[in-house]
Amino acid sequence: MTTILDELSAYADDLLNTRDVPDYPTALNGLQFQASGPVRGIAAAVDFSTRAIEGAKALDANLLIVHHGMFWGGLSPLTGAAYRRTRLLFDYNIAVYSSHIPLDCHPTLGNNVLLAKELRLTPSREFARYQGIYIGVAGDSDVPTKSLAEKATLFARQYGHATRTTPIADDRRTRRWGMCSGAGAAADTLQEAIDAGIDTLIVGEGPHWTAITAEENDLVIIYAGHYATETLGVCALSQHLADKCGVSWNFVSAPTGL
Ligand SMILES: [Zn+2]
């Protein structure tokens, strides 16, 4: 496999089905910042940030792969912090490739299938409909909800997050679960979970009111952290690309605390 940036990013676009997956306009999935020369190392990070750029530089990586890209915060002038970050990319000659929903919903490299695996859950259905596609996964199980929450706690702790849950009775079991990484406890997703008879919803984060709605519908929500639940996809994609083109890769830890 080539180490030519344009060819590697075109390969990633195809692999992730980037053109056909809907997303927020600010996601701008694909190659977001060009750099010169062949790719010699890949750094994976959840968010495009100064910490991520400096981490890539420290690893001598010249391709930074992120989930929340350079334009995530919306249209804004290249002044202040935005100018400083862009300047670093020029100075260090680091390219940026970003993949948001394509990397949430991918069947092998996606945040959701990989998080399910971490929590020893087996997905059997799609979940979390968004503009005609499904971002998350769902399945059946028979495990104590408290032990599932403990697994999520141990997972998220590696990434600096303290998992929170809605109240869980000691004898409660999870028989039908749904999962949507990141800001997964949105109104539509919560309603979809209730309609589908899901008893345990695993997400990154959600607004305060979602805890009330969940409790009143016999649903437990496990909030495992926006950052933590979106670490796996960028790592899997980076490892895949690095293996393909014979370069090294590493994860740049830059937890947000959320
Ligand atoms: Zn996210």
Side-chain angles (χ1 to χ4, degrees), residues 46-47 67-68 72 100 104 111 181-183 205 226-227 229-230:
V46 175
D47 305 286
H67 186 58
H68 305 127
W72 195 242
H100 182 238
D104 284 321
N111 284 316
S181 60
E205 61 167 330
H226 194 135
Y227 179 86
T229 60
E230 296 191 329

Side-chain angles (χ1 to χ4, degrees), residues 69-218:
M70 296 174 66
F71 311 101
W72 195 242
L75 189 64
S76 68
L78 288 176
T79 56
Y83 165 74
R84 291 193 292 275
R85 286 197 298 261
T86 312
R87 178 70 194 260
L88 285 179
L89 295 178
F90 278 110
D91 288 350
Y92 298 161
N93 190 33
I94 290 175
V96 179
Y97 184 94
S98 185
S99 186
H100 182 238
I101 290 179
L103 201 47
D104 284 321
C105 68
H106 193 272
T108 57
L109 305 173
N111 284 316
N112 288 290
V113 286
L114 295 175
L115 181 59
K117 205 182 213 178
E118 287 284 330
L119 304 184
R120 299 201 198 105
L121 295 169
T122 307
S124 57
R125 295 184 287 281
E126 294 176 308
F127 176 65
R129 193 172 169 82
Y130 171 77
Q131 292 190 14
I133 61 143
Y134 289 92
I135 298 175
V137 290
D140 302 315
S141 63
D142 189 10
V143 293
T145 305
K146 281 206 160 166
S147 79
L148 184 57
E150 276 160 25
K151 281 197 191 84
T153 299
L154 289 173
F155 168 77
R157 194 175 288 157
Q158 303 170 79
Y159 302 101
H161 183 77
T163 294
R164 291 177 178 84
T165 73
T166 54
I168 306 174
D170 285 343
D171 61 349
R172 190 182 193 279
R173 297 187 78 79
T174 292
R175 296 204 164 83
R176 190 174 282 208
W177 57 271
M179 177 180 289
C180 187
S181 60
D188 289 356
T189 311
L190 194 50
Q191 191 57 50
E192 186 183 331
I194 293 164
D195 293 344
I198 281 170
D199 60 54
T200 307
L201 180 61
I202 302 139
V203 299
E205 61 167 330
H208 181 76
W209 64 264
T210 58
I212 310 300
T213 302
E215 192 174 352
E216 294 186 353
N217 285 279
D218 296 324

Side-chain angles (χ1 to χ4, degrees), residues 28-51:
L28 212 68
N29 294 312
L31 186 63
Q32 295 192 334
F33 194 86
Q34 181 93 45
S36 62
V39 174
R40 64 173 187 278
I42 298 174
V46 175
D47 305 286
F48 175 71
S49 68
T50 303
R51 277 192 285 166

